[in-house]
Amino acid sequence: MNDKKTEANWPDLTGRIEGNEHILPVRVYYEDTDFSGVVYHAAYLKFMERGRTELLRMRGVHHHELDSGMHGERLAFAVRHMDIDFLKPARIDDVLEVHTDISEVRGVRMFISQRVMRGDEVLIKASVTAVAISADGKPRRLPKDLVAQMNGE
């Protein structure tokens, strides 16, 4: 459940928004790496999921509220498609930034651009298509108020 007092004490956990882009800092831990000390490719998926979640949180869209049915029925987001370019490796103790931008929300789909950066270096580029689904997994058109929130309106 959402603890607003905790969030108020740790506002940096959610990252920041610059323009239309959300930026989430992430440190690379041992658990994120493979036997060679390089970030394992699946760890980037977790970093990017956190970026998408925190962007929505900063725009007032909370997963627990979607699940509660407060928008007419229980809703969730599912990744439908993802294109990823792994450009450069990250290593243990690196401080990265996950840049997330919702480029378009249309019907049941949300189109998202993401980059994982180390300083000025782009390590990963991804294009993500997420869809809104009902509790039984069927696509659902997003309510207009949610679309406005996701677009930062």
Side-chain angles (χ1 to χ4, degrees):
M1 189 63 119
N2 187 7
D3 183 350
K4 294 196 186 288
K5 183 178 179 188
T6 301
E7 284 184 32
N9 291 336
W10 297 95
D12 52 331
L13 287 177
T14 301
R16 66 188 186 278
I17 291 183
E18 293 181 5
N20 289 330
E21 192 172 62
H22 178 265
I23 301 170
L24 179 69
V26 175
R27 182 179 305 278
V28 175
Y29 293 103
Y30 179 77
E31 68 183 18
D32 301 317
T33 63
D34 62 17
F35 68 94
S36 70
V38 171
V39 172
Y40 183 65
H41 72 281
Y44 291 109
L45 298 176
K46 290 194 269 185
F47 299 161
M48 290 187 293
E49 174 66 32
R50 292 176 199 162
R52 293 189 301 273
T53 297
E54 294 301 338
L55 169 58
L56 291 175
R57 184 186 319 278
M58 286 193 85
R59 292 198 174 155
V61 179
H62 300 277
H63 290 294
H64 69 274
E65 291 177 354
L66 293 171
D67 186 55
S68 76
M70 71 180 287
H71 297 284
E73 67 177 312
R74 292 176 59 204
L75 296 172
F77 292 111
V79 171
R80 170 69 174 87
H81 183 84
M82 184 179 281
D83 286 319
I84 305 174
D85 287 324
F86 295 92
L87 304 170
K88 295 181 180 182
R91 300 188 188 285
I92 194 164
D93 292 331
D94 281 353
V95 176
L96 309 176
E97 289 184 337
V98 179
H99 292 243
T100 305
D101 180 29
I102 298 174
S103 46
E104 184 179 4
V105 181
R106 180 179 59 215
V108 301
R109 292 178 184 83
M110 179 170 36
F111 301 94
I112 306 155
S113 299
Q114 292 190 281
R115 292 175 290 137
V116 178
M117 311 277 296
R118 181 180 50 224
D120 293 333
E121 292 180 288
V122 179
L123 306 181
I124 304 292
K125 291 191 307 188
S127 296
V128 182
T129 303
V131 294
I133 58 172
S134 64
D136 59 358
K138 294 185 177 159
R140 288 293 185 255
R141 181 173 292 276
L142 288 162
K144 289 180 183 177
D145 61 323
L146 278 177
V147 171
Q149 283 179 273
M150 285 187 250
N151 286 326
E153 297 172 9

